[in-house]
């Protein structure tokens, strides 16, 4: 039976960052995932979503030796713009800008395509001699004891670990092996994720357009073929998403530009469509003996306000801090659960409320939503508190 200090179960973005972070901190790490990461945008199955790393996450990426690799590809997000287009016609009737300059000399964050993140983080892991990345191998079994965790891999190998990090998604095998339940909220929504080019520059402004069905979000990307480009996350109820996907290209383009309210001029689809189900979910406990859950194994939220992966990085930051000197100890894991689960639950409740508000279809309620946005924005201290809360800082 082989031994590793830390086993990371899951080679998505959060799991890869965890392996790089613990490896850069000097720990012996093994990272496994049944599916090798797809690191080419054009490859079948590539993740065409993007991730906006908010400012507090950059310190974790820097300590993991990742930010120097990622920064040249990142697009800064200086302004978070919210547009209400809930009137009779799909056009902007209320625009409010939340500018990072009000609270910091740094942007809110930086946006990167997910497929590129997997490419660059995998390359970083290859430089760390104390990290083994085993793509194509998953976690088949886990026996968690007080003094160690025994892990069986899908290739039949068995490992002993001081700490197992479950970063293996919303249907986490690690969480299931521990018998930890979840609370799940379903919205009947799905999200279309793809990239577009557009006529007008985005000026480093991330834009959420609210009408009904869910937010339509445009997040800045580097120019594509000499044209301004953005990542789109288009949330709608499931039947509407299915209707949109079935449209001929010309009709889909017309719907796309109608929903965008023309805020960046004409949008042109630049990549294929990918689809993701929208839920909120939280584990009943974030730890078990010698085991910690992070990212979607612990919590899932709708893609609003760039919260999802930044919550995952916050999980990791707390786990690294509390594991110093004693990875997997009962004291460190109890402290991790006390710190992270209440914070994740509070954010889930807030994002759930925002998503349900964005789904409103009745015109009077959409009018009320616009009035509430205008009132909150008008009070400068409240506006700054909301911005700091979104970043996860006091």
């Amino acid at each position: 039976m082989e031994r590793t200090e830390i086993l990371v179960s899951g080679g998505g973005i959060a799991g890869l960052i965890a392996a790089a972070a613990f490896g850069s901190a000097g720990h012996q790490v093994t990272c496994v995932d049944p599916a090798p990461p797809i690191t080419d945008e054009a490859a079948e199955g590539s993740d065409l979503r993007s991730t906006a790393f908010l400012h507090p996450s950059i310190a974790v990426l820097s300590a993991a030796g990742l930010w120097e690799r990622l920064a040249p590809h990142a697009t800064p997000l200086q302004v978070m713009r919210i547009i209400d287009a809930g009137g009779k016609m799909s056009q902007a009737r209320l625009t409010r800008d939340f500018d990072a300059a009000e609270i910091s000399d740094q942007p809110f964050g930086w946006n990167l395509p997910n497929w590129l993140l997997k490419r660059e983080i995998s390359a970083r892991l290859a430089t760390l001699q104390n990290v083994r990345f085993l793509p194509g191998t998953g976690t088949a079994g886990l026996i968690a004891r007080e003094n160690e965790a025994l892990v069986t891999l899908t290739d039949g190998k068995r490992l002993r670990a001081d700490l197992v990090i479950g970063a293996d998604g919303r249907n986490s095998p690690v969480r299931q092996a521990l018998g930890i339940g979840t609370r799940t909220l379903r919205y009947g929504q799905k999200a279309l994720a793809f990239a577009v080019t557009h006529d007008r520059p985005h000026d480093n402004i991330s834009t959420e357009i609210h009408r009904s069905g869910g937010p339509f979000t445009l997040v800045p990307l580097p120019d594509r073929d000499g044209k301004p480009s953005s990542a789109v996350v288009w949330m709608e109820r499931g039947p509407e998403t299915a209707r949109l996907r079935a449209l001929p290209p010309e009709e889909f383009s017309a719907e796309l530009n109608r929903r965008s309210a023309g805020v960046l001029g004409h949008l042109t689809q630049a990549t294929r469509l990918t689809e993701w189900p929208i839920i909120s979910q939280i584990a009943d406990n974030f730890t078990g003996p010698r085991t910690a859950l992070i990212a979607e194994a612990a919590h899932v939220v709708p893609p609003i306000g760039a919260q999802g992966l930044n919550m995952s990085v916050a999980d990791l930051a707390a786990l690294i801090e509390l594991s110093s000197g004693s990875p997997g100890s009962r004291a460190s894991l109890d402290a991790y659960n006390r710190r992270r689960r209440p914070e994740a639950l509070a954010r889930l409740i807030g994002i759930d409320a925002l998503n349900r508000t964005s789904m409103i279809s009745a015109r009077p309620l959409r009018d009320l939503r616009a009035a509430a946005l205008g009132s909150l924005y008008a009070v400068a201290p409240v506006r700054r508190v909301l911005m700091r809360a979104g970043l996860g800082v006091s």
Side-chain angles (χ1 to χ4, degrees):
M1 185 179 295
E2 297 182 31
R3 179 168 180 79
T4 187
E5 188 178 5
I6 294 171
L7 177 90
V8 179
S9 178
I13 294 173
L16 294 175
I17 294 174
F22 274 96
S24 297
H27 298 280
Q28 184 187 10
V29 180
T30 301
C31 180
V32 299
D33 192 281
I38 299 174
T39 57
D40 182 347
E41 180 186 52
E44 184 176 354
S46 62
D47 187 345
L48 298 182
R49 296 173 295 178
S50 67
T51 293
F53 286 107
L54 300 179
H55 190 260
S57 295
I58 303 305
V60 177
L61 298 178
S62 296
L66 293 172
W67 187 237
E68 62 188 37
R69 305 185 67 97
L70 298 175
H73 307 285
T75 305
L77 307 178
Q78 182 62 35
V79 174
M80 300 291 191
R81 175 171 291 165
I82 297 180
I83 293 176
D84 188 276
K88 183 176 181 180
M89 305 295 292
S90 182
Q91 59 189 28
R93 61 174 180 172
L94 180 71
T95 301
R96 295 293 182 261
D97 286 352
F98 295 83
D99 192 332
E102 285 196 57
I103 59 172
S104 173
D105 60 356
Q106 295 288 325
F108 283 117
W110 291 263
N111 195 48
L112 295 110
N114 283 8
W115 63 266
L116 185 144
L117 285 169
K118 293 178 181 179
R119 184 189 75 190
E120 295 300 319
I121 303 171
S122 297
R124 168 59 177 162
L125 295 184
T127 70
L128 294 170
Q129 294 185 354
N130 54 327
V131 176
R132 290 189 305 166
F133 180 34
L134 305 177
T137 303
T139 301
L142 169 66
I143 300 174
R145 300 171 174 170
E146 284 299 319
N147 61 331
E148 65 181 359
L150 307 178
V151 181
T152 302
L153 304 180
T154 53
D155 63 2
K157 291 181 180 178
R158 302 182 69 200
L159 296 105
R160 301 161 66 175
D162 293 332
L163 173 64
V164 172
I165 299 175
D168 43 3
R170 59 186 65 182
N171 298 315
S172 167
V174 167
R175 189 186 67 229
Q176 293 176 18
L178 293 171
I180 296 175
T182 61
R183 300 181 185 182
T184 303
L185 301 173
R186 304 187 185 279
Y187 306 99
Q189 286 174 300
K190 293 187 176 180
L192 295 176
F194 54 102
V196 296
T197 57
H198 37 83
D199 297 335
R200 301 173 192 159
H202 50 59
D203 295 327
N204 298 330
I205 299 172
S206 179
T207 304
E208 276 189 9
I209 305 167
H210 296 261
R211 182 166 173 79
S212 63
F216 179 100
T217 307
L218 291 155
V219 190
L221 289 173
D223 288 358
R224 179 186 289 264
D225 300 325
K227 299 178 181 178
S229 179
S230 294
V232 173
V233 179
W234 186 354
M235 292 166 58
E236 290 283 0
R237 299 180 189 275
E240 176 64 5
T241 302
R243 183 189 75 82
L244 291 168
R245 292 202 67 174
L247 291 175
E250 299 80 8
E251 293 182 32
F252 180 83
S253 178
E255 292 282 3
L256 169 66
N257 282 279
R258 185 178 301 113
R259 186 63 179 84
S260 72
V263 297
L264 292 177
H266 185 78
L267 304 185
T268 301
Q269 183 181 339
T271 64
R272 73 181 190 283
L273 301 179
T274 59
E275 184 177 301
W276 304 88
I278 303 299
I279 65 170
S280 288
Q281 180 172 282
I282 190 163
D284 295 337
N285 200 308
F286 282 11
T287 61
R290 293 283 165 180
T291 310
L293 304 179
I294 70 168
E296 290 200 341
H299 45 72
V300 183
V301 295
I304 295 176
Q307 294 299 302
L309 194 53
N310 288 280
M311 291 170 64
S312 305
V313 175
D315 294 340
L316 183 56
L319 190 59
I320 291 173
E321 175 193 340
L322 296 168
S323 296
S324 178
S326 58
S329 69
R330 176 184 286 273
S332 66
L333 292 175
D334 286 348
Y336 170 73
N337 189 61
R338 287 194 303 269
R339 180 183 299 185
R340 287 303 303 151
R341 192 177 185 281
E343 165 68 15
L345 179 59
R347 288 194 175 270
L348 183 150
I349 291 170
I351 295 167
D352 170 73
L354 290 173
N355 187 38
R356 293 183 188 278
T357 300
S358 184
M359 293 175 67
I360 290 171
S361 57
R363 275 284 305 281
L365 293 177
R366 296 198 319 230
D367 294 343
L368 183 61
R369 178 183 66 198
L373 172 61
S375 299
L376 289 172
Y377 180 88
V379 183
V382 173
R383 183 170 67 248
R384 288 191 284 270
V385 166
L386 290 173
M387 288 190 282
R388 291 191 181 95
L391 288 175
V393 298
S394 57

